[in-house]
């Protein structure tokens, strides 16, 4: 038996086999986590199959990266996407604007239906995010970054003011979570998926906040500040969900409320500090003799 050939076949199976392994292992794993005992033979087999699927795809990562890079460099649309920062910002703002508006309308409708201040608070929060993004996309659609710094600073300051107003909705949400114990309960797999998405969003928001500072554009900075504030608030919702979903009865309601109260206070203070910073910085720059030069420092 040619062990070398066998090992190569196991580590680098045909592309058709690798593609088939994804839905098979995913379905097997989900079914075993929901319906089977963790120590059963089928469950252990599903874990092994999932690990094997992950391994064979990881072995192909270097080649996949090279193929993706080659495709991105040769395709005119992907090249434009990589080089045009303004396009990426606009697409991001438009997408987030549509999502925030739709979700705000949903929460507002639920508020009217249930006559609940909880849903009104959520609607106010997402309306604030949508309003800020609408203000910014109106500018980025007309101007290049740095083309009209005075208008950018004005919109930057307006976003800071909206942040302060939005914090009232956020405070109500925190109050309902802590005082009325309004929390979320989902299945464990759904909660893990939410956690993955939330941590990824927060990481991207932090990286982009640092990355876009080099453009010296108040509008770009405001856009990333909105993403950072949104991701921070999502962390609070995630914490509430995880404390409820994974609570096995050992954590008391008082302890859960204490955790949510501390975390909510930190998020609220962070939003207030960011808002005050944006207002003071933009006002100081606008009052300087040359706002364009001052903003680029």
């Amino acid at each position: 038996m040619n062990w070398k050939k066998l090992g190569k076949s196991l580590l680098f199976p045909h592309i058709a086999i690798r593609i088939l392994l994804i839905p098979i292992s995913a379905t097997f794993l989900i079914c075993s986590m929901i319906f089977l005992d963790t120590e059963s033979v089928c469950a252990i087999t599903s874990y092994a199959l999932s690990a094997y699927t992950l391994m064979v795809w990881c072995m192909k990562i270097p080649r996949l990266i090279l193929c993706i890079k080659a495709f991105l460099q040769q395709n005119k649309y992907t090249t434009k996407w990589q080089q045009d920062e303004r396009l990426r910002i606009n697409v991001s703002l438009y997408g987030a604007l549509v999502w925030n508006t739709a979700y705000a309308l949903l929460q507002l409708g639920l508020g009217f239906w249930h006559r609940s201040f909880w849903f009104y608070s959520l609607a106010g929060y997402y309306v604030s995010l949508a309003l800020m993004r609408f203000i910014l996309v109106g500018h980025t659609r007309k101007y290049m970054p740095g083309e009209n710094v005075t208008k950018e600073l004005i919109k930057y300051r307006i976003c800071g003011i909206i942040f302060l107003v939005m914090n009232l909705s956020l405070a109500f949400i925190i109050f309902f979570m802590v005082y009325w114990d309004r929390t979320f309960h989902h299945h464990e797999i759904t909660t893990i998926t939410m956690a993955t998405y939330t941590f990824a969003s927060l990481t991207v928001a932090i990286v982009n906040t640092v990355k876009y500072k080099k453009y010296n554009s108040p509008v770009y900075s405001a856009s990333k500040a909105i993403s950072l504030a949104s991701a921070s608030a999502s962390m609070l919702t995630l914490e509430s969900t995880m404390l409820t979903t994974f609570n096995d009865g050992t954590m008391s309601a008082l302890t859960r409320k204490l955790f949510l109260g501390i975390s909510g206070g930190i998020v609220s203070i962070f939003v207030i500090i960011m808002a005050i910073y944006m207002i003071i910085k933009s006002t100081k720059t606008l009052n300087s003799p040359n706002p364009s030069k001052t903003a680029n420092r």
Side-chain angles (χ1 to χ4, degrees), residues 73-251:
Q73 291 173 355
Q74 295 172 4
N75 188 284
K76 64 178 181 180
Y77 298 107
T78 56
T79 301
K80 179 176 176 58
W81 175 263
Q82 287 181 313
Q83 296 176 350
D84 195 338
E85 299 286 349
R86 184 184 176 192
L87 174 64
R88 295 206 298 272
I89 285 289
N90 281 335
V91 170
S92 174
L93 285 173
Y94 272 115
L97 174 61
V98 171
W99 160 251
N100 290 155
T101 303
Y103 200 69
L105 291 175
L106 173 63
Q107 298 300 326
L108 186 61
L110 290 172
F112 285 128
W113 180 263
H114 295 286
R115 297 180 180 180
S116 170
F117 282 103
W118 164 257
F119 292 112
Y120 288 144
S121 301
L122 288 172
Y125 172 75
Y126 283 99
V127 164
S128 301
L129 292 178
L131 178 60
M132 285 188 285
R133 281 169 168 141
F134 177 77
I135 292 171
L136 296 181
V137 81
H139 181 88
T140 58
R141 185 170 52 86
K142 296 178 181 178
Y143 301 101
M144 294 291 291
E147 186 178 345
N148 193 328
V149 176
T150 301
K151 282 191 174 182
E152 287 195 41
L153 288 167
I154 292 173
K155 294 182 184 298
Y156 186 74
R157 181 168 59 185
I158 291 173
C159 287
I161 295 171
I162 295 175
F163 266 132
L164 287 178
V165 177
M166 184 188 77
N167 197 63
L168 293 175
S169 296
L170 185 60
F172 274 118
I173 293 172
I174 296 168
F175 172 77
F176 291 138
M177 282 183 177
V178 176
Y179 187 75
W180 283 349
D181 202 21
R182 290 299 300 264
T183 56
F184 306 90
H185 187 279
H186 299 286
H187 191 273
E188 287 85 349
I189 296 177
T190 305
T191 304
I192 293 171
T193 305
M194 289 175 58
T196 304
Y197 173 78
T198 303
F199 280 110
S201 299
L202 181 61
T203 303
V204 171
I206 294 172
V207 170
N208 284 337
T209 300
V210 177
K211 176 182 175 182
Y212 280 86
K213 284 181 69 69
K214 66 181 180 181
Y215 293 102
N216 295 315
S217 170
V219 165
Y220 280 15
S221 297
S223 169
K224 297 310 159 188
I226 295 170
S227 298
L228 188 58
S230 178
S232 299
S234 296
M235 288 293 294
L236 181 62
T237 304
L238 174 64
E239 180 186 3
S240 171
T241 303
M242 295 186 73
L243 288 176
T244 304
T245 303
F246 295 107
N247 185 16
D248 57 359
T250 57
M251 179 180 289

Side-chain angles (χ1 to χ4, degrees), residues 19-33:
I19 293 174
L20 283 173
L21 279 172
I22 295 175
I24 293 173
S25 62
T27 303
F28 198 14
L29 179 63
I30 292 172
C31 289
S32 67
M33 292 178 69

